[in-house]
Amino acid sequence: MKKTFNMYISVVIVAAGKGARMNSDINKQYTKINGKPVIAHTIQKFEDCSFIDEIILVINRDDISFCNKNIIAAFSFNKVKTLVAGGDKRQVSVFNGLREVNGNCDIVLIHDGARPFVKEKCIIDSIYAASEFGASCVAVPVKDTIKKSHRQNFIKETLDRSGLWSIQTPQTFRYSLIMEAHKKASQQNFAATDDAILLERLGVDIKLVEGTYDNIKITTREDLAIAEVLAGNN
Ligand code: CTP
Ligand code: MG
C-alpha cells in the first residue's frame, strides 16, 4: 500500500533484551526461522512498508558491529538509520531509541524485535489511528475465559471477557506525546511493561487497533516451532 499522507514516520524496534526465557546460548533475536534471523524478519516488515521513513534499531551494546555486518548490510536494509545501545529494562531501551529519531518525526511506532509476524495492515492501521487520536495500541480480543486468582492459585472471580484484550505491538504515538510521557516516567522512576501505560497514567485516551493472533512474541522454545510454521505461511 502506498503512503497517502505527508508525515514523517519512524519506528523504534527494540531488540536489546537478554532472551532469558528462551534458555538458549544464542540471543533469540538472532535465532533463525526459515533460515533468516528473527530480527531480520521483523526489520523486513517495516523496510517493505511505504509508510515507514526510518527504522531505529535498539540492540545490546556488544552486538552493534555484529548487527551492522550480519543484519543491516547482509540484508541491505536501507531504512535503518541508527543502531542504538539498549538499557537493562525494555522501557530504557525504548527511551534510548526515541531520543535518536529524526528531528522531523511526527509519528513513532514502537515494536518488539521479537514479533516478526506483524502484518502491513496492522502497521498502517496503527499509524492512521495514532494520527487521528494521538495514540494507538495493536491488540487482539482474548479467546480464553480469564479468571483472577487470590491466595495459592485458588479462583477468586471470572472476569467479563467482552472487554478484555491481549496487548501486542506496534504501539504508535504522536512523537511529542510519547516523548513527554517517557521523560516523566524516567524522572518519577515509574516502571512499566509497555509504553501505553505511560500515557494511560497521564489520562490520554489510547485507541485499540485490532491485530492478528499470529503476531506472536517469540519468548520460549515452543514459540520457535510455531514461528517456523508461521514463517512458512507468510
Ligand atoms: N527488550 C529490550 N531491552 C530490554 C528488554 C527487552 O530492547 N532491556 C526488547 C526485547 O529484545 C524484545 C522486546 O523488548 O524484542 C520484548 O521483550 P521480551 O520478549 O521480554 O524479550 P527479552 O527481555 O529479551 O526476553 P526475556 O524477558 O525472556 O529475557
Ligand atoms: Mg523481557
Side-chain angles (χ1 to χ4, degrees):
M1 192 174 161
K2 191 103 185 67
K3 186 170 183 174
T4 46
F5 56 85
N6 192 19
M7 284 205 251
Y8 194 95
I9 303 177
S10 310
V11 57
V12 172
I13 299 180
V14 282
K18 294 197 168 55
R21 285 169 287 177
M22 189 57 73
N23 217 353
S24 156
D25 290 345
I26 88 159
N27 192 313
K28 67 179 182 181
Q29 318 287 347
Y30 307 117
T31 303
K32 290 186 175 163
I33 34 180
N34 261 6
K36 186 169 169 176
V38 168
I39 190 64
H41 282 275
T42 308
I43 296 169
Q44 192 77 57
K45 295 289 160 50
F46 293 92
E47 180 83 23
D48 293 344
C49 176
S50 69
F51 282 60
I52 302 296
D53 293 302
E54 67 164 355
I55 300 169
I56 308 295
L57 182 63
V58 186
I59 51 170
N60 287 310
R61 185 178 299 282
D62 295 345
D63 295 342
I64 290 182
S65 63
F66 169 87
C67 234
N68 254 323
K69 181 163 171 273
N70 297 289
I71 306 289
I72 312 305
F75 293 92
S76 308
F77 290 133
N78 294 316
K79 290 185 185 172
V80 179
K81 295 291 155 56
T82 317
L83 264 64
V84 187
D88 60 340
K89 291 275 183 297
R90 183 185 181 282
Q91 189 174 323
V92 178
S93 296
V94 171
F95 196 24
N96 289 357
L98 286 174
R99 280 195 291 252
E100 297 298 324
V101 305
N102 188 294
N104 296 321
C105 175
D106 297 303
I107 299 275
V108 63
L109 294 84
I110 298 168
H111 187 69
D112 292 328
R115 288 187 197 271
F117 301 116
V118 58
K119 297 276 197 296
E120 182 175 62
K121 179 177 186 311
C122 186
I123 295 172
I124 294 172
D125 287 351
S126 84
I127 292 170
Y128 274 116
S131 67
E132 188 174 352
F133 303 108
S136 75
C137 223
V138 171
V140 287
V142 299
K143 291 198 269 192
D144 296 316
T145 296
I146 307 283
K147 294 183 191 289
K148 200 169 157 63
S149 66
H150 56 167
R151 59 184 168 82
Q152 292 170 340
N153 291 355
F154 282 95
I155 293 172
K156 178 163 182 265
E157 59 177 321
T158 302
L159 301 179
D160 174 13
R161 196 175 56 192
S162 61
L164 294 178
W165 297 75
S166 270
I167 300 301
Q168 305 175 341
T169 67
Q171 298 190 353
T172 305
F173 308 96
R174 207 171 290 139
Y175 179 68
S176 52
L177 206 57
I178 191 65
M179 221 16 207
E180 187 196 325
H182 263 273
K183 278 185 194 150
K184 280 210 174 107
S186 164
Q187 282 158 6
Q188 297 167 357
N189 277 325
F190 178 82
T193 52
D194 81 344
D195 300 287
I197 306 176
L198 307 185
L199 286 177
E200 286 165 44
R201 69 194 284 264
L202 302 181
V204 175
D205 278 339
I206 300 157
K207 180 73 174 167
L208 290 172
V209 169
E210 189 160 349
T212 59
Y213 289 96
D214 59 3
N215 184 21
I216 61 166
K217 180 161 70 66
I218 296 180
T219 307
T220 58
R221 277 173 179 274
E222 306 84 73
D223 296 329
L224 287 177
I226 298 166
E228 286 287 346
V229 174
L230 291 172
N233 291 339
N234 270 262

